[in-house]
Amino acid sequence: MSFLIVANWKMNGTRSSFVDFIGKLNDKGNEITSKLVICPPFTSFSDNVKLNNNISIGAQNCHYKKSGPYTGEISVEMLKELGCTYVILGHSERAHETDSEIKLKSETAIGSGLHPIICVGENAEDNKNKKTKEVMEYQCKNRVPTHGEYTIAYEPIWAIGTGYVPSNNAIAEMIEVIKSSTGKKHIIYGGSVSLDNIENLLNISNLSGVLIGSASLDFERFYKIVQQVEKTYQF
Ligand code: 13P
């Protein structure tokens, strides 16, 4: 399986910056063997964006109902219509979501052929109190579906946008906890991934990918991370 690099643009970028970014990525097509998933805001999606085979478009949320009176929400069918094939679910910046909602959303996405990237991760207090393993097991049990194709992203809340990253050993250990709780083989890491730490993170032998926030917004910066991955993994 290719190394997975997911760019979460959060509430950043415009449609023109997205089209420009994808154009530049397409131009690098032959140099990239990793799987890339770019997740811009909904308004950036455009059904006429052409994508190389290893590039996919993801959303940052979806509703668990297929349609109905849910003002301001977006359904999986609406996302699919715009060429979206992945969806990030349960991100901690959407903190009002419950574990059971995240599970329902994941099930709806899987049922409609979207590939969910389900986020799990402990907060600073649980980390300080050494409850990370317990929290991971709880979240895996309560927000991750029992069937279907999906990816899990280990994203400690205290590492998001802070510049702090757990030690490689701590990440590797949580990946094992998540694997044994879910039976999934491929787990990715997110939280302050940057050009400064990617080389070190790639030493984690059970890491299958990364979920990148702020360092994915600028094409040159993002592409340097991709190049580092390509250098490390000789596919
Ligand atoms: P940063 O890379 O900006 O810390 O964000 C991580 C994240 O939340 C990706 O989903």
Side-chain angles (χ1 to χ4, degrees), residues 6-10 88 91-93 119 155 159-164 190-194 211-216:
V6 185
N8 178 7
W9 279 18
K10 308 187 179 183
I88 297 172
H91 196 286
S92 60
E93 286 161 4
C119 300
E155 273 215 323
I160 296 174
T162 59
Y164 295 118
S192 294
V193 175
S194 71
L211 175 51
I212 311 174
S214 60
S216 71

Side-chain angles (χ1 to χ4, degrees), residues 3-9 18 20-22 24-26 28 32 34-39 54-56 193-196 198 210-230:
F3 196 81
L4 179 62
I5 304 176
V6 185
N8 178 7
W9 279 18
F18 173 67
D20 181 62
F21 191 96
I22 292 292
K24 287 177 177 160
L25 265 191
N26 278 336
K28 303 282 186 189
I32 308 172
S34 307
K35 171 76 189 160
L36 306 182
V37 182
I38 314 301
C39 307
N54 59 336
I55 306 172
S56 298
V193 175
S194 71
L195 190 56
D196 295 334
I198 187 68
V210 283
L211 175 51
I212 311 174
S214 60
S216 71
L217 295 174
D218 173 72
F219 179 79
E220 299 305 329
R221 218 165 132 207
F222 175 70
Y223 194 63
K224 282 187 180 141
I225 297 177
V226 174
Q227 281 177 308
Q228 189 62 51
V229 172
E230 296 292 318

Side-chain angles (χ1 to χ4, degrees), residues 2-235:
S2 307
F3 196 81
L4 179 62
I5 304 176
V6 185
N8 178 7
W9 279 18
K10 308 187 179 183
M11 197 174 68
N12 294 292
T14 57
R15 184 183 281 199
S16 61
S17 65
F18 173 67
V19 171
D20 181 62
F21 191 96
I22 292 292
K24 287 177 177 160
L25 265 191
N26 278 336
D27 289 346
K28 303 282 186 189
N30 296 338
E31 297 167 29
I32 308 172
T33 55
S34 307
K35 171 76 189 160
L36 306 182
V37 182
I38 314 301
C39 307
F42 301 133
T43 51
S44 294
F45 293 148
S46 168
D47 54 359
N48 59 13
V49 169
K50 296 275 171 287
L51 301 168
N52 282 355
N53 280 346
N54 59 336
I55 306 172
S56 298
I57 303 301
Q60 300 171 18
N61 182 38
C62 69
H63 201 275
Y64 57 85
K65 290 278 190 183
K66 294 201 166 172
S67 62
Y70 305 102
T71 304
E73 294 289 343
I74 194 152
S75 77
V76 288
E77 291 307 322
M78 295 168 188
L79 295 174
K80 280 169 60 184
E81 199 172 37
L82 293 170
C84 178
T85 47
Y86 283 74
V87 59
I88 297 172
L89 293 173
H91 196 286
S92 60
E93 286 161 4
R94 303 185 49 79
H96 55 282
E97 288 180 343
T98 63
D99 291 320
S100 56
E101 272 169 343
I102 297 166
K103 191 172 191 167
L104 281 174
K105 288 178 179 205
S106 304
E107 287 167 351
T108 301
I110 291 168
S112 301
L114 283 188
H115 184 110
I117 297 167
I118 305 164
C119 300
V120 295
E122 82 284 8
N123 62 26
E125 197 185 340
D126 286 334
N127 181 272
K128 193 168 142 231
N129 295 331
K130 306 205 180 316
K131 290 199 168 146
T132 304
K133 179 170 184 278
E134 207 178 300
V135 172
M136 273 331 87
E137 285 169 344
Y138 181 87
Q139 291 182 352
C140 286
K141 182 162 178 266
N142 291 286
R143 60 172 74 172
V144 175
T146 47
H147 296 96
E149 281 302 307
Y150 58 85
T151 296
I152 299 184
Y154 172 50
E155 273 215 323
I157 297 169
W158 55 272
I160 296 174
T162 59
Y164 295 118
V165 174
S167 69
N168 282 6
N169 282 346
I171 295 173
E173 194 188 329
M174 275 323 114
I175 289 176
E176 286 311 309
V177 170
I178 295 166
K179 277 183 176 184
S180 59
S181 303
T182 61
K184 278 279 149 190
K185 288 201 188 76
H186 303 290
I187 314 298
I188 68 175
Y189 168 79
S192 294
V193 175
S194 71
L195 190 56
D196 295 334
N197 57 32
I198 187 68
E199 196 174 348
N200 182 46
L201 286 169
L202 293 171
N203 290 322
I204 302 172
S205 60
N206 56 3
L207 183 70
S208 293
V210 283
L211 175 51
I212 311 174
S214 60
S216 71
L217 295 174
D218 173 72
F219 179 79
E220 299 305 329
R221 218 165 132 207
F222 175 70
Y223 194 63
K224 282 187 180 141
I225 297 177
V226 174
Q227 281 177 308
Q228 189 62 51
V229 172
E230 296 292 318
K231 213 164 97 186
T232 307
Y233 289 87
Q234 302 290 330
F235 295 106

